[in-house]
Amino acid sequence: DATRRPRPDGRSYAETVCALHDDGTLVMADCGSLADAEQAVEAGSDLISTTLAGYTGERAKTDGPDLELLYAMLERFPDVPVICEGRIHTPTQLREVMDAGAWAAVVGTAITHPTSITGWFTAALPA
């Protein structure tokens, strides 16, 4: 969680990254905004992601992946691997994030949550 929210252990994000690196662990920063990504890169995160976009109150929750945030992260940090995670529900959306330059993408609910998948198909039909 690379947001600027308080952490249960009282550490700063930078302190958490330092401790993880001291242990030999790579750090993927789950970000909710460009400001989170900036903090994550400053702290030395190995990868940054759009995971928390739309869930922290800083950005509106988009219907699909937060492409605006993805583009901003890619432009601001061209040398840092950027992972697009969150609300990738279709192969077309996956192609779009990969074509944008994402280093990788996480497709979760679209392949693991039958209730959500059924809801998407039901919503696409006339009442």
Side-chain angles (χ1 to χ4, degrees):
D1 182 337
T3 66
R4 287 154 290 130
R5 299 181 288 193
R7 301 180 192 301
D9 63 6
R11 287 183 178 178
S12 69
Y13 181 75
E15 291 169 332
T16 300
V17 171
C18 185
L20 289 166
H21 280 164
D22 285 349
D23 193 38
T25 302
L26 295 175
V27 177
M28 179 174 124
D30 291 341
C31 303
S33 67
L34 188 58
D36 293 343
E38 290 168 346
Q39 169 183 258
V41 171
E42 269 185 32
S45 297
D46 301 289
L47 308 104
I48 55 176
S49 73
T50 61
T51 309
L52 296 174
Y55 297 105
T56 63
E58 289 188 72
R59 299 185 59 77
K61 186 176 179 182
T62 55
D63 286 334
D66 190 333
L67 295 173
E68 183 180 291
L69 178 59
L70 174 64
Y71 294 138
M73 290 168 75
L74 289 165
E75 182 178 329
R76 175 77 173 86
F77 306 107
D79 298 325
V80 177
V82 178
I83 297 176
C84 188
E85 180 175 2
R87 298 178 302 280
I88 301 172
H89 297 155
T90 68
T92 301
Q93 290 172 330
L94 174 62
R95 179 80 268 148
E96 190 170 9
V97 302
M98 296 309 294
D99 287 348
W103 189 73
V106 176
V107 179
T109 299
I111 60 173
T112 63
H113 199 264
T115 305
S116 294
I117 299 164
T118 302
W120 299 333
F121 280 90
T122 301
L125 298 174

